[in-house]
Amino acid sequence: MHIKANGLRLSVTDEGRGGPALVFLHYWGGSSRTWREVIEQLRGSHRCIAYDHRGWGDSEAAPTPEGYHIRQLADDCEAVIGALGLDDYVLVGHSMGGKTAQLVASRRPAGLRALVLVAPAPATPLAVPAEARRSMTHIYESPAGVEQAIGVMVGRPLSAEQRSRVMEDSLRGAPPARAGWTEVAMLDDVSADLQNIHVPTLVIVGEADHVEPVDTLQREVVARIQGARMEVLPATGHLPMLESPDALVKHIRRFVDEEHGKP
């Protein structure tokens, strides 16, 4: 289905039943399909909502990189939640989606019960030199570039189907969306807002993540969010939902059940 959010049509999948609902936010280069293996395991007990960020997957693109500030991505997330009438839900954000989820949670929206951050980008600006950021902007323009990105991101081999899915999603990104992260959202500083997060928070990171290393996330995410705790997935890189979906599901399920008093 498509939902109108802040002037753009966003593609949304909604499957499964049971509460709380889980709202999945994908990474820069991904789509709602990034979460396929995780949702397949969780949709039997939870309503699972995943959407394509503006400019990715089947969602409409904002026309310039300036349309991709983290606050605008957060506005989109709240618009999807509002359109679906969610009143009991958990945000599950990965990488860029994790930075977005942090800002949404800091706004204390009604119905938000908990926050799961999977290899999240910190709320502080990423310390990447300008030349490196310019190179990143173009990495999803060719299959060779995507293969290079996959090589940096993963700690475990992907299946042929997973590699194909990552390749397709990355190459489909609208040019303004590709540049929107490296030129705009990556540099946004929303760290001051994190003091306003007052829901239980779990940070899940791969032991072999070279994009968002364990020590960085401990310092820049866990230490900044009151009561947050961390789980580390062995031998896993930056794409836990593809590399270690069973382990990721186990941690999400246990955390959500604990916070909702289920045995």
Side-chain angles (χ1 to χ4, degrees):
M1 77 175 99
H2 284 86
I3 288 175
K4 198 77 170 182
N6 304 302
L8 298 173
R9 288 195 330 135
L10 302 185
S11 178
V12 181
T13 64
D14 185 352
E15 53 188 300
R17 58 186 301 175
L22 306 176
V23 182
F24 294 90
L25 288 71
H26 68 78
Y27 75 107
W28 178 67
S31 77
S32 57
R33 303 194 307 166
T34 302
W35 296 103
R36 178 180 296 168
E37 287 85 347
V38 171
I39 289 175
E40 284 176 351
Q41 295 189 52
L42 289 170
R43 65 189 176 190
S45 55
H46 294 274
R47 182 181 181 186
C48 294
I49 294 120
Y51 67 94
D52 300 333
H53 290 294
R54 53 174 63 194
W56 297 100
D58 292 321
S59 287
E60 191 175 1
T64 69
E66 285 298 317
Y68 294 85
H69 281 284
I70 288 297
R71 68 177 182 276
Q72 292 162 306
L73 301 185
D75 290 345
D76 289 347
C77 181
E78 290 194 272
V80 169
I81 289 165
L84 294 175
L86 302 183
D87 59 6
D88 183 26
Y89 62 93
V90 174
L91 289 177
V92 185
H94 172 232
S95 198
M96 176 185 76
K99 186 171 184 176
T100 302
Q102 290 173 73
L103 183 57
V104 174
S106 77
R107 296 173 176 179
R108 302 187 187 181
L112 178 64
R113 303 306 177 201
L115 179 63
V116 178
L117 302 172
V118 182
T124 48
L126 296 185
V128 178
E131 184 176 346
R133 286 192 289 104
R134 284 192 292 271
S135 296
M136 289 175 63
T137 299
H138 300 290
I139 201 165
Y140 291 145
E141 293 179 351
S142 69
V146 178
E147 287 287 354
Q148 179 184 350
I150 292 173
V152 171
M153 288 191 288
V154 302
R156 294 176 183 262
L158 302 183
S159 70
E161 188 281 330
Q162 288 174 329
R163 292 185 78 91
S164 176
R165 195 190 326 161
V166 172
M167 180 72 68
E168 291 173 3
D169 285 345
S170 299
L171 293 175
R172 286 186 67 193
R178 294 179 196 150
W181 173 244
T182 57
E183 297 179 12
V184 177
M186 178 186 286
L187 302 179
D188 282 339
D189 188 350
V190 296
S191 58
D193 297 274
L194 300 193
Q195 63 184 335
N196 297 318
I197 297 177
H198 292 292
V199 293
T201 300
L202 175 65
V203 179
I204 304 173
V205 59
E207 178 185 43
D209 191 337
H210 299 297
V211 178
E212 303 296 352
V214 173
D215 58 346
T216 298
L217 295 188
Q218 180 66 50
R219 181 180 65 253
E220 296 295 339
V221 180
V222 176
R224 291 176 182 269
I225 299 176
Q226 182 179 356
R229 70 179 198 257
M230 175 182 280
E231 295 286 353
V232 179
L233 303 181
T236 300
H238 192 59
L239 301 178
M241 65 289 304
L242 300 178
E243 301 174 59
S244 303
D246 294 350
L248 181 59
V249 166
K250 180 186 73 173
H251 286 300
I252 293 173
R253 193 188 300 278
R254 183 168 61 192
F255 174 68
V256 172
D257 287 352
E258 285 175 358
E259 296 307 327
H260 285 259
K262 295 182 181 179

